[in-house]
């Protein structure tokens, strides 16, 4: 099943912003970039400040779900400070993948705040070259 990659529409995202379930269950929703090469579907999402060990990634029925939480405590060791903040939150993002993938062979790594997930395409999703035979 090949679903194709949808063209970005800012109006669709603005409409989603006002829907009640846009924020339900998460403090923020990370943006994702999805692209492909010959053998893989690649998903990248910025998760600066999030501990990679607190990120969960799953694929079920060609839907990729990325979720996790973050907690950052900052304390100022000065006298008479006016603010002491604790930043915490959770996130979740699910996207329909544009084609079938081999979820068991997926790999993920984080570098400079960017989470990169590489999902090998299922054999049926890879392009097939068909040789043309000439009949005499």
């Amino acid at each position: 099943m090949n679903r194709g990659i949808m063209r970005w529409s800012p109006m669709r995202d603005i409409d989603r912003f006002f829907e009640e379930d846009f924020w339900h269950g998460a403090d923020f929703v990370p943006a994702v970039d999805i692209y492909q090469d010959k053998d893989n579907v690649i998903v990248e999402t910025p998760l600066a400040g999030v501990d990679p060990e607190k990120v969960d990634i799953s694929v079920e029925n060609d839907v990729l779900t990325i979720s996790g939480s973050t907690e950052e405590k900052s304390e100022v060791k000065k006298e008479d400070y006016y603010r002491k903040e604790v930043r915490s939150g959770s996130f979740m993002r699910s996207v329909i993948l544009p084609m079938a993938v081999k979820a068991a062979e997926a790999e993920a790594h984080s570098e400079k705040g960017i989470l990169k997930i590489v999902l090998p395409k299922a054999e049926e999703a890879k392009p097939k070259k068909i040789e043309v035979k000439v009949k005499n």
Side-chain angles (χ1 to χ4, degrees):
M1 175 186 321
N2 189 348
R3 294 179 191 86
I5 296 175
M6 292 177 53
R7 181 179 297 273
W8 178 70
S9 168
M11 294 310 292
R12 180 177 58 241
D13 289 349
I14 289 171
D15 289 341
R16 284 187 62 232
F17 180 80
F18 291 102
E19 292 176 8
E20 182 179 332
D21 64 347
F22 179 78
W23 296 102
H24 181 70
D27 294 321
F28 67 97
V29 180
V32 295
D33 292 336
I34 303 172
Y35 57 96
Q36 67 177 331
D37 62 19
K38 180 182 170 200
D39 298 317
N40 303 295
V41 174
I42 298 114
V43 178
E44 293 181 340
T45 184
L47 294 179
V50 176
D51 181 353
E53 293 182 7
K54 293 185 178 182
V55 175
D56 295 316
I57 304 167
S58 64
V59 177
E60 185 175 344
N61 298 325
D62 297 327
V63 175
L64 171 71
T65 300
I66 305 166
S67 62
S69 62
T70 183
E71 184 173 331
E72 180 182 312
K73 295 180 181 180
S74 113
E75 186 174 332
V76 178
K77 301 268 186 189
K78 293 183 180 179
E79 201 173 312
D80 295 329
Y81 64 87
Y82 291 98
R83 187 183 308 189
K84 180 178 175 182
E85 296 183 348
V86 175
R87 188 188 97 186
S88 65
S90 63
F91 63 91
M92 185 177 85
R93 181 71 191 263
S94 294
V95 292
I96 298 172
L97 296 170
M99 61 199 57
V101 297
K102 298 177 190 175
E105 297 177 22
E107 295 181 6
H109 66 274
S110 180
E111 184 177 348
K112 295 181 181 177
I114 303 293
L115 175 67
K116 184 174 185 178
I117 305 166
V118 179
L119 303 140
K121 293 179 184 177
E123 291 303 317
E124 64 269 12
K126 290 183 181 178
K128 305 283 190 277
K129 185 172 181 176
I130 301 171
E131 183 182 336
V132 177
K133 297 178 183 176
V134 178
K135 292 185 180 182
N136 292 332

